[in-house]
Amino acid sequence: MKVREFLQERDWEKFHNSKDLAEGICVEAAELLQLFQWMSPDEVHRFQNDPAKVKQLKEELADVFIYCLSMANAMNIDLASSVMRKLESNRKKYPAELYRGKARL
Amino acid sequence: MKVREFLQERDWEKFHNSKDLAEGICVEAAELLQLFQWMSPDEVHRFQNDPAKVKQLKEELADVFIYCLSMANAMNIDLASSVMRKLESNRKKYPAELYRGKARL
Amino acid sequence: MKVREFLQERDWEKFHNSKDLAEGICVEAAELLQLFQWMSPDEVHRFQNDPAKVKQLKEELADVFIYCLSMANAMNIDLASSVMRKLESNRKKYPAELYRGKARL
Amino acid sequence: MKVREFLQERDWEKFHNSKDLAEGICVEAAELLQLFQWMSPDEVHRFQNDPAKVKQLKEELADVFIYCLSMANAMNIDLASSVMRKLESNRKKYPAELYRGKARL
């Protein structure tokens, strides 16, 4: 995994305890959210069509993602299979035939 | 992508504007962080070796991840290449030979 | 201060290091935000006029507030004067005659 | 209230719907948390005794607080009495004689 390689080259894995990584995910998630603060739905719509803004969004989303991957790396979690398992349990919790167009994730 | 398929089966993509998804990422990130609240480094260490706790952690991390993938889906972002680009820019910002063992992501 | 009294009666001040309190503020802030997730502006408006929802909001807001007061207590910060100083600096940063009706906090 | 006066001078109350204020509280809470990221308990202890750092902390905490007061203002919430009510309910939930020195807020 490229994230692991990046961390190992810098000998940064030793800093990566799960509590501080969880804080990092929170901090980066808030920076992502900040991009949208005070925006009306119309402004959000325009934002989504503005390449400069989408570029910023991509970077902030990548930051959250990299911390998630670092957490998975630190904890030896196979994130892909956790996601599959969670989707499977959501599938049972929200059957498509009952929730189609009605509910929200 | 499995997340897209899950959303489409429920016709939930229409709810997925980027602002609310960013809120979702924040909310799930905080639930992940809450697992560690008040824990000393020793307790974090024990936590990381307790299978029941790690199971909870996997689920909360999967929730953050699913929202990130939903955001990427809603915005047509290729998350893998955003992550690669961000790591590339971090590689320049934090050269391995200067930051080895010294700095933190 | 009533929060200090509450903490001292339980001998809880010893747990209150500033890092964990900052985590607590984050976690409670996200619970407050969760009340609004997926709401359109119309739904937010209805929410604000629904006494049962406002009761929930009051409780979540009080939780954030209590953690802020606990942090101020732990760090011997006079919060009222910090707020006054910050408002004073915002007053200079955003002069009323330039920002009236135009900008956002 | 000084926060209300500040907002009214700028005609900013109209921007203050409760959803965006909740986002603001989250974003500011994460900036506060970021001050502590990667810190060991020893580093947190040193942080708490470093006047320059404490000054930063005061400012970030004031930001969270001002958003809480703005939310209370926008929703006509008497924050002091919400806090008193919440502490009262916490008093019953965590009786001092049972939780002294044992539990955490």
Side-chain angles (χ1 to χ4, degrees), chain A residues 24-91:
Chain A
I25 294 173
C26 252
V27 166
E28 297 300 336
E31 290 183 6
L32 179 64
L33 180 59
Q34 195 171 19
L35 297 180
F36 299 102
Q37 223 193 333
W38 307 120
M39 278 190 199
S40 68
D42 276 356
E43 288 168 315
V44 172
H45 191 75
R46 280 199 296 278
F47 176 99
Q48 296 181 167
N49 291 299
D50 176 337
K53 299 289 186 184
V54 171
K55 190 168 174 294
Q56 263 190 295
L57 171 66
K58 278 181 188 175
E59 290 186 14
E60 296 297 350
L61 185 60
D63 282 336
V64 181
F65 218 69
I66 288 170
Y67 269 113
C68 289
L69 294 173
S70 299
M71 170 79 94
N73 179 43
M75 301 290 298
N76 277 314
I77 291 174
D78 176 356
L79 205 39
S81 70
S82 297
V83 166
M84 287 304 117
R85 212 170 302 121
K86 188 80 194 197
L87 281 179
E88 201 44 56
S89 103
N90 283 347
R91 245 175 244 287

Side-chain angles (χ1 to χ4, degrees), chain C residues 42-92:
Chain C
D42 277 357
E43 288 169 314
V44 172
H45 191 75
R46 279 199 296 279
F47 176 99
Q48 296 182 166
N49 291 298
D50 176 336
K53 300 290 188 185
V54 172
K55 190 168 174 293
Q56 263 190 296
L57 170 66
K58 279 181 187 178
E59 289 187 14
E60 296 296 351
L61 185 59
D63 282 337
V64 181
F65 218 69
I66 288 170
Y67 269 113
C68 289
L69 294 172
S70 299
M71 171 78 94
N73 178 42
M75 299 291 298
N76 277 316
I77 291 174
D78 175 357
L79 205 38
S81 69
S82 297
V83 166
M84 286 305 116
R85 213 170 301 122
K86 189 80 195 198
L87 282 179
E88 201 43 56
S89 103
N90 283 346
R91 244 175 247 288
K92 281 170 196 151

